[in-house]
Amino acid sequence: MIPNDPVVDAVKVPSSIDLFGHPKGLWVLVLTEGCVAFSLYGMQAILVLYLADYLLQPGHVDHVLGMSALKSFLSAIYAPVGTQATAGAITGLFLALIYATPLLGGIVADRFLGRTRTIFLGAILMTVGHVLMSFDWSFVIAITTLLLGLGAAGGLRAQVGALYALDDPRRSEAYQIYSLGVQAAVIAAPALCAYLAIKAWHWGFLAASLGMLTGLFVYMLGRRWLPEDGNS
């Protein structure tokens, strides 16, 4: 989902009975990242249309906290003209920052909280961000919270590698399973969230928030099967 190049540290891998030939922790991470991908790509699928057809329209945009500051920033870097251009600029900026925030998450994980706590914090922030997307006034706060959460949660892929020894032949297969789980969520999320958004915009965002909330619970319940790091 979020591109990163994790460096696998020397970690203590918890012993557990394998499930379908792989550690149980792999399946916890696949489900968690699948939920993250579902929430993110489900929201992305309706974001630009939501902005252009609803939130940026008169009667709605005036109630969004921080929208004036966001528009001023967009004018400085994109100079958008009109509602559709502004919607595209907001969406483009959000997608661009998705690829930058994992650097911040890596710094926080390495120097302060540790990988596990940082991922847990990221999952909480993403859940809160998706819930805030369900309200007009909190849109700017919501996308800011989502970006911070995405950056913090970017270390999930690193935990996949930490489940295996460097010479374990199952390691490459584990990354393939992980990627397949993400792709399945990426296919399902836009269809479901867009369908719900046709009924009401906020239903689509609510579906994305429920997906992220599910991922948070999966990660919490499966924590005992995941690798430990020095700061956890």
Side-chain angles (χ1 to χ4, degrees), residues 2-229:
I2 305 169
N4 51 47
D5 295 310
V7 177
V8 178
D9 302 318
V11 296
K12 179 182 177 181
V13 179
S15 59
S16 64
I17 300 174
D18 288 353
L19 181 64
F20 301 117
H22 287 273
K24 291 181 180 179
L26 173 64
W27 307 107
V28 172
L29 293 174
V30 168
L31 288 174
T32 303
E33 184 72 2
C35 290
V36 172
F38 179 92
S39 65
L40 176 62
Y41 287 93
M43 185 270 288
Q44 283 183 209
I46 61 177
L47 179 59
V48 69
L49 294 176
Y50 166 71
L51 289 168
D53 295 345
Y54 177 80
L55 191 66
L56 295 178
Q57 295 296 324
H60 298 286
V61 67
D62 298 333
H63 301 128
V64 181
L65 187 65
M67 181 59 77
S68 297
L70 177 58
K71 282 187 173 182
S72 298
F73 179 72
L74 291 173
S75 296
I77 59 175
Y78 289 129
V81 178
T83 299
Q84 292 185 348
T86 302
I90 292 174
T91 304
L93 179 63
F94 176 77
L95 296 179
L97 290 176
I98 285 176
Y99 293 87
T101 50
L103 177 61
L104 175 62
I107 294 173
V108 172
D110 291 341
R111 299 187 180 182
F112 301 104
L113 298 181
R115 185 186 300 153
T116 300
R117 289 175 182 169
T118 303
I119 292 173
F120 185 67
L121 174 62
I124 294 175
L125 288 173
M126 286 190 66
T127 302
V128 172
H130 281 296
V131 171
L132 290 175
M133 286 290 290
S134 299
F135 306 97
D136 293 357
W137 67 270
S138 56
F139 173 78
V140 176
I141 300 173
I143 59 172
T144 303
T145 306
L146 282 171
L147 286 170
L148 293 174
L150 284 165
L156 283 168
R157 186 181 295 270
Q159 289 195 320
V160 174
L163 289 168
Y164 302 86
L166 291 175
D167 58 350
D168 193 327
R170 300 175 299 168
R171 214 157 173 264
S172 59
E173 185 183 64
Y175 281 113
Q176 293 177 8
I177 294 172
Y178 180 85
S179 297
L180 284 173
V182 172
Q183 293 307 314
V186 168
I187 293 171
L192 178 58
C193 291
Y195 173 78
L196 292 173
I198 292 174
K199 309 295 183 181
W201 287 113
H202 297 310
W203 287 12
F205 293 122
L206 179 61
S209 68
L210 290 176
M212 192 58 241
L213 185 62
T214 301
L216 177 59
F217 278 116
V218 169
Y219 192 78
M220 289 173 57
L221 294 175
R223 176 64 194 95
R224 55 182 169 168
W225 294 311
L226 298 179
E228 299 176 357
D229 57 57

